[in-house]
Amino acid sequence: MTTNASSLPAKIGKVYLVGAGPGDPGLITLRGKYLLEHAEVVVYDYLANPKLLGYVPKDAQLIYAGKKGGGLHAFTQEGINRLLVDHAKQGKMVVRLKGGDPFIFGRGAEEIEELVTEGIDFEVVPGVTSATAAATYAGIPITHREYTASVAFVTGHEDPTKKFSNISWDKLATGAGTIVVYMGIKTLPSITRKLIDHGRSPDTPVAVVRWASTPQQRSVVGTLATICEVVQQADIKPPALIIVGEVVKLRSTIDWFEKRPLFGRRIVVTRTREQASDLVAQLEEQGAEVLEYSTIHIEPMDDCGIVDAAIAEIGSYQWLLFTSINAVTHFFRRLFALGHDSRLLAGIKIAVVGRATADEVGKYGVKPDLLPEKFTGEGLAEALLQTGVQGSRILLPRALRASELLPEMLTDAGAQVTIAPVYRNVPPPGPKEELRDQLLEGSIDLVTFTSSSTVTNFLALIDAAGDDELHRLLDRTTIAAIGPITAETIRTHGLAVDIQPERYTIDDMVQAIVAHYRNLAPQAG
Ligand code: SAH
């Protein structure tokens, strides 16, 4: 990039047309991710996975451009073009995020032409187009030496105002080995008829793939002669792709995505701070659709008086204790807010409850003096007692409400403990109703519990009025518990435990879940 500071206004906007990939958020390019991370405005489509918006800075403006060609809150193409131009003219870094590849049936060029007319700088980042993703994720190689050496990408939805078709179906029918049709579900009967009429065998295999590369993917297979009926029977709706050609036969050998053991299973994970992401990743790896519910939402304290006062006289303390990652983050936030840095802690010994907390402290350039053998509050208290804490002043920044065991044990041993609340847990503005609805309609296959507190948190989240409602909510859902204590907590609420591994680790729990579904009869559909 060249800079020419003298001739440029303060800030020049630019529009990045970015391909979001077909659905799986893992299929965006590194360049696309980088641009999202630096965006000031993001204009996105319904085909771009909303999970990708997680990369966007918190203060960026997100604009949903809606479903192309209709929908209640949709922008017209002119409206979208104007949005891009206006924001870029305000000097903003604008990402226009489009499903698949922006230049494959994405009207990307129309948006660019408008930018060129208005003299706005732009860049285009390609994406994995849904045609190749749908084929790959349905176990179909779109080319194969023995079957075909050519592929055609075709739209099934030509501009309806056009008088003559741009597609030479007569040449295409036998001219391309594999034909992939975008936006063709509504016109499938006329597409198959045109291909057969122009000489393609009615026995040619055809696959139709909906929501490719997502946990909702569905594929059906037929022939040019039968596929319309198959699609109708299976009630396949857009967005879907039609793949025509001999290569479709290979699906019977190569199908991998839909064969993963937990594919098509919808699983609820109630988050605890430490373990949920590992569990979520492992379940997703096995093909599950995971709904993560957080019952813990952390906020800094409005009143930081106690910790601020303690920091002001930090030299009078012998020990500083951290019993959670959040305590570390929020303590240092105050330290920095008061104009200090980590050197202020030079003379004070630091103890942490466990390895994760030690790592967090390490991020501030500080190495803890004490890490207990047992990673619990009690373990920490015992380790401290061994050092002889009588008469010591101990600072404990922590959550507003937390177990009193650690400070009590220390006080009993003659230490002087200052409890300084630095954050608090508040109920998240959660989608409780949505979870209840899904449970009631039976669309959640499994709920997992990795500790007794996840059970209590989950029950608080669904907020059943009495046992009858609790059973109505959960009777159609399988329940997995990580170990005996968690299972006992579940049973005390009158619920049955269906899956419980022998050893209580996340790995074993995931294996037990996989084994459970392997033993069930294959799913219908
Ligand atoms: N630019 C996009 C295509 C936009 S046209 C791309 O490169 O993929 C919209 C059509 O794309 C849909 O009607 C459907 O046919 C197809 N499509 C997009 N995402 C899809 C997906 N995840 N699964 C199946 N079809 C998809």
Side-chain angles (χ1 to χ4, degrees):
M1 208 160 73
T2 57
T3 45
N4 187 359
S6 58
S7 64
L8 294 180
K11 205 173 161 223
I12 294 274
K14 183 165 174 177
V15 176
Y16 297 82
L17 199 57
V18 175
D24 181 341
L27 293 176
I28 194 170
T29 60
L30 291 175
R31 177 75 183 147
K33 175 171 171 263
Y34 173 87
L35 291 169
L36 284 176
E37 285 165 350
H38 292 84
E40 291 173 299
V41 179
V42 178
V43 183
Y44 63 101
D45 276 354
Y46 93 111
L47 281 174
N49 192 326
K51 280 191 180 168
L52 291 171
L53 301 176
Y55 292 126
V56 177
K58 282 207 180 66
D59 53 355
Q61 189 184 351
L62 301 177
I63 302 168
Y64 178 57
K67 189 169 171 170
K68 191 170 66 180
L72 205 52
H73 301 290
F75 283 88
T76 58
Q77 187 62 51
E78 293 70 39
I80 296 172
N81 296 353
R82 211 167 31 244
L83 266 180
L84 301 178
V85 169
D86 288 351
H87 283 99
K89 282 194 168 165
Q90 290 164 24
K92 296 279 168 55
M93 175 330 187
V94 183
V95 170
R96 169 72 175 118
L97 189 65
K98 295 172 84 80
D101 183 282
F103 279 176
I104 299 185
F105 304 125
R107 303 185 74 170
E110 292 168 49
E111 293 173 16
I112 298 293
E113 280 158 19
E114 187 74 19
L115 298 174
V116 172
T117 310
E118 298 279 344
I120 290 163
D121 212 5
F122 67 89
E123 177 180 322
V124 187
V125 181
V128 174
T129 190
S130 54
T132 55
T136 304
Y137 279 63
I140 301 165
I142 46 177
T143 72
H144 189 290
R145 280 208 303 182
E146 284 169 29
Y147 295 94
T148 171
S150 61
V151 190
F153 290 170
V154 185
T155 171
H157 174 85
E158 272 191 287
D159 187 339
T161 59
K162 233 192 265 175
K163 256 202 171 143
F164 301 102
S165 172
N166 265 342
I167 305 168
S168 314
W169 290 99
D170 53 336
K171 299 193 177 106
L172 195 67
T174 50
T178 307
I179 303 167
V180 188
V181 187
Y182 292 70
M183 296 173 279
I185 292 303
K186 288 208 187 90
T187 51
L188 185 60
S190 87
I191 292 168
T192 50
R193 195 169 349 99
K194 277 184 270 193
L195 290 175
I196 295 172
D197 286 352
H198 290 296
R200 194 77 178 230
S201 161
D203 295 330
T204 310
V206 182
V208 171
V209 187
R210 179 168 199 247
W211 279 127
S213 81
T214 74
Q216 290 81 36
Q217 176 171 318
R218 266 192 86 195
S219 327
V220 291
V221 177
T223 63
L224 275 181
T226 66
I227 193 69
C228 289
E229 207 189 318
V230 173
V231 163
Q232 208 183 6
Q233 294 266 319
D235 196 25
I236 302 271
K237 302 230 159 67
L241 284 152
I242 304 157
I243 304 164
V244 181
E246 297 303 312
V247 284
V248 170
K249 286 182 185 157
L250 292 158
R251 171 173 160 82
S252 56
T253 331
I254 299 178
D255 183 22
W256 58 276
F257 184 72
E258 293 169 39
K259 288 258 170 74
R260 291 170 308 155
L262 298 180
F263 181 77
R265 305 291 178 184
R266 193 180 261 183
I267 300 181
V268 166
V269 170
T270 308
R271 181 152 63 203
T272 61
R273 252 161 288 156
E274 294 77 19
Q275 287 174 325
S277 57
D278 191 23
L279 176 60
V280 171
Q282 288 202 38
L283 291 171
E284 283 180 345
E285 208 53 40
Q286 300 292 339
E289 176 187 2
V290 180
L291 308 178
E292 239 185 304
Y293 285 97
S294 166
T295 47
I296 304 158
H297 187 75
I298 306 288
E299 273 188 5
M301 297 293 297
D302 294 329
D303 178 1
C304 298
I306 302 179
V307 73
D308 288 1
I311 289 172
E313 49 176 49
I314 198 88
S316 69
Y317 287 93
Q318 281 76 49
W319 282 101
L320 171 59
L321 314 185
F322 291 112
T323 51
S324 73
I325 291 175
N326 285 310
V328 178
T329 331
H330 287 92
F331 174 80
F332 278 95
R333 178 188 272 185
R334 283 318 299 166
L335 191 78
F336 298 151
L338 296 172
H340 304 293
D341 61 36
S342 302
R343 288 172 299 176
L344 189 76
L345 306 176
I348 179 168
K349 288 212 193 87
I350 292 177
V352 295
V353 71
R355 211 148 272 139
T357 317
D359 290 346
E360 192 64 23
V361 174
K363 289 183 189 160
Y364 298 90
V366 174
K367 195 163 161 261
D369 301 277
L370 188 146
L371 175 74
E373 260 171 41
K374 231 172 54 190
F375 295 167
T376 61
E378 197 180 356
L380 177 58
E382 281 163 3
L384 279 164
L385 292 190
Q386 277 177 22
T387 69
V389 291
Q390 191 174 12
S392 311
R393 292 196 78 200
I394 299 180
L395 178 59
L396 175 61
R398 60 163 215 192
L400 180 61
R401 261 175 292 152
S403 159
E404 300 300 333
L405 188 62
L406 168 68
E408 274 171 17
M409 285 174 75
L410 296 170
T411 313
D412 287 349
Q416 221 184 322
V417 182
T418 307
I419 295 176
V422 284
Y423 69 97
R424 59 202 177 106
N425 297 318
V426 292
K432 186 178 84 177
E433 286 308 322
E434 181 192 293
L435 176 59
R436 284 168 56 99
D437 289 348
Q438 286 175 326
L439 285 167
L440 282 176
E441 68 186 33
S443 68
I444 287 178
D445 295 283
L446 173 75
V447 181
T448 59
F449 296 111
T450 51
S451 68
S452 292
S453 63
T454 60
V455 181
T456 334
N457 289 342
F458 176 81
L459 293 176
L461 203 64
I462 61 172
D463 195 21
D467 282 0
D468 281 358
E469 198 187 53
L470 184 64
H471 283 286
R472 261 207 316 283
L473 283 164
L474 284 172
D475 273 358
R476 293 157 77 184
T477 305
T478 306
I479 292 180
I482 196 166
I485 297 177
T486 310
E488 197 42 48
T489 310
I490 295 168
R491 285 192 207 99
T492 56
H493 291 281
L495 298 166
V497 175
D498 307 289
I499 302 173
Q500 189 188 327
E502 269 177 31
R503 281 193 314 169
Y504 30 112
T505 69
I506 297 283
D507 291 10
D508 288 270
M509 172 141 139
V510 172
Q511 275 178 29
I513 293 170
V514 166
H516 174 88
Y517 285 109
R518 277 232 167 87
N519 292 335
L520 290 184
Q523 265 185 296

